[in-house]
Structure formats: C-alpha cells, structure tokens
Amino acid sequence: MKLFQFIGMLCMFFLIMVIGVSCKEQLVPGQTFGKEDEATEEAGAESDSGGRKVTFACWNTQTFFDAQCDGTEYTEFQRPEKWTAAMYSKRLDSLCEVMTALNPDIMVLEEIENESVVQDIANRFAGSSWDKKKSWQYAGFAKKPGTAIGCAVFSRLELSALKVHSLDIRLYETKQPASRPLMELGIKCDDKDFTLFVCHWKSKSGGEEETEIWRDWQESVLARRLCELQSYRIPVVVCGDFNRNAEDFIIIPRKNDGVNMVFRGMGGQRAEASSPWITSAGTVKKDNGSYFYKDSWERIDNIFSCGDIKVSRFQAVAMPPFADEEGKPVSYKMYNESGYSDHLPLKCILTF
C-alpha cells in the first residue's frame, strides 16, 4: 500500500492576502441569524462565556469554472460557444450575492476551479469597504494538479500554515479516481487559534457502494491527521461535502452523555467528532438537508467539531434566491443561465 501525504508545494495551492475584500452590503446586519447573532461584531469577538465567537459558512458551489479553457474542465465548460466570459461574469455576481447574504467571518467554497476564480471573487469585493474588521482580508485555495476543481477559503481572521494531504492508492485493479486533497489551515484568533480541515470526498458517481472504498481512504487520511492533533489539544473544525450522509458515519455514545461520530484510520486509528446534524440520542435533527436528490433530502455537507470548540445555531440556509419556495436548492442551469447551486449552504456559530 502506498499512502502519500503531500504537504505545501507538492500539490497546487494558492494563498493570497487581499486587503479590503468586502462589499457595502456586508456592513448591513446578517440576514440568516436572529438579531442577537447578527454578524456585526468584530470577527473573533469575545463570547458571553469568555471564549471567542466566529460565524462560519460552507457551500458547495456546483462546478464553478471560469471562462478560460485549460483542458481540465468538465466537458460542457470547454465549449466557448456554450460557456462564455459573459456567462461566467454573471454567475460570479450570483456567487458574491450569496456570500454577501450569508456574511460569515469564514466562508468555505467547494468546487472552485482555480486560484483565478478566487482572485475574481476578491476583485468583485475589493474597494467597497476599508473597514478591515468587516472584510475578508485572507483567502486560500487548494487543488490537485491536473484535476478539475478544488476548494477555497475566505476569512476575516488570519489564515496560516496551509497544507494539503492527498491519496496515492495502487492496491486495486481499478485505478484510483481523481480526488480532491484534504485541505488544512490554521485560523488565528488572538490567543485562541483553531485548525480547519476542508473536505470534498469522492462522489457517488459510479455507484454508492462501488465508490465507498475511496471515501473510506479519504476518511483515513483525515483520521490520521486528527489523531496527530489530539495530543496537542488543538480545537478543530472539519467541514465540506463528504458525499456521505451524516447518519451513515459510525456513531458511538460519549462517556458522559450524547454521541460522537467516528473517523476511522489505518491500524485501528479512531478520531471522534460532533456533528450538528445528529441529536444526543443519535438521530437526525433536521427534517431537511443540504442536498435534495431523487425526492429526498441528504445531509452530505457537514461541519464537524473536535475538542474545545462548539457549533451552535447550525442551519442549512434555505432562503431566496438560492432556495425555492419549498426550501430546496435552486441548482445552476447553463442553458438559461439561471440558479445558484444544487447544494444549500451551511452556516453556524463557532465558539472556542
């Protein structure tokens, strides 16, 4: 078995600092929480318990490609007569509209093509506000070379030590499919930092059972790194699109009360985390989810917490215009340039 962990420059990543990355609407109180939780405080403001409080959002943007053909895009985005610069610009405006509506301190985006898209997002927001406390000054991007899409992070808090962890499995007759690396960043918040992992696991395309082995391998990479961090007692948030329902992870009772999810690694490694989708009794909290497929909700997007960090006010944000009247995501359709994404964004408050 060959399992390689690529850190830093071994996989393509892009870390930029953007000054004044904001927009006028971000100075308006947040629209997705009640007044007591509006994101008008300084990022990392002290909570009532004396810890730090940060608003956090995570969203699969649904195949977000720019208008430059590099040859790695999905086929429909390689045809200039079907995917134009004007169409990309319009969709970029829609993405920024969602980011403004959510208005989190930290915004994670999956299925972003490249660092050029990250820069274009930054340019859309640049110059509208000089209040650094209200602007996303930092951004990071990670992607495996030669693949179509990666993940991006925008933050009002300083990002540090971006790493990527990738798979190279050569055990089976079937070739390992293209996969996104595990993205790791430090979030600096005065004297109370935490580590963020961004995941986008193998899709179920090709069959759920047939592809589960690759999600298991991606889980093992995450579990290994979480076990390494446990000895340092570092608070950790793990977010992204896992292409696995929250209730399909292993769920075990805690020592005192409630339940934890288990990430399984090699050699019996196990790392425990909490999921806001799951109640203390081990059942699903919400009637809805983040992804609607074949007339049923799936909870494949998640925000896990490990250690001394708490997720509260968690929700799959189902509001117009990126959700319809029934609260279902309004997916993007190229043929008429309408919609946003086939996933709902997740939003919560982190307290640590």
Side-chain angles (χ1 to χ4, degrees), residues 198-321:
V198 181
C199 303
H200 188 185
W201 290 1
K202 175 69 180 75
S203 73
K204 298 175 185 178
S205 175
E208 182 174 356
E209 292 184 4
E210 292 81 357
T211 57
E212 183 69 6
I213 183 65
W214 302 114
R215 288 185 289 277
D216 288 343
W217 277 110
Q218 289 173 301
E219 178 183 357
S220 73
V221 174
L222 173 63
R224 175 185 177 183
R225 187 65 185 124
L226 289 176
C227 288
E228 291 171 350
L229 292 177
Q230 280 179 346
S231 59
Y232 297 99
R233 299 184 179 276
I234 298 173
V236 173
V237 171
V238 182
C239 74
D241 178 356
F242 296 84
N243 279 301
R244 180 188 291 168
N245 270 303
E247 57 269 35
D248 292 336
F249 283 85
I250 294 176
I251 301 175
I252 61 172
R254 290 182 192 151
K255 291 182 179 179
N256 297 324
D257 62 344
V259 298
N260 273 343
M261 324 290 282
V262 174
F263 294 114
R264 303 159 298 168
M266 295 178 296
Q269 286 182 317
R270 291 161 64 96
E272 296 184 19
S274 297
S275 168
W277 286 117
I278 305 299
T279 70
S280 59
T283 58
V284 178
K285 281 183 180 178
K286 304 286 186 179
D287 292 330
N288 69 341
S290 59
Y291 184 68
F292 196 76
Y293 181 67
K294 291 186 177 179
D295 296 324
S296 63
W297 281 108
E298 295 189 1
R299 288 156 287 276
I300 57 178
D301 303 283
N302 219 318
I303 302 173
F304 295 97
S305 58
C306 313
D308 190 17
I309 190 164
K310 180 182 178 183
V311 174
S312 62
R313 300 304 298 270
F314 171 82
Q315 60 180 300
V317 184
M319 69 182 210

Side-chain angles (χ1 to χ4, degrees), residues 32-43:
T32 53
F33 287 146
K35 289 186 177 180
E36 69 275 16
D37 294 309
E38 289 169 350
T40 56
E41 299 177 276
E42 179 181 350

Side-chain angles (χ1 to χ4, degrees), residues 44-54 189-192 308 350-352:
E46 187 171 333
S47 67
D48 294 338
S49 61
R52 298 293 175 183
K53 184 169 66 174
V54 172
C189 186
D190 297 330
D191 59 340
K192 292 205 171 188
D308 190 17
L350 303 177
T351 306
F352 55 101

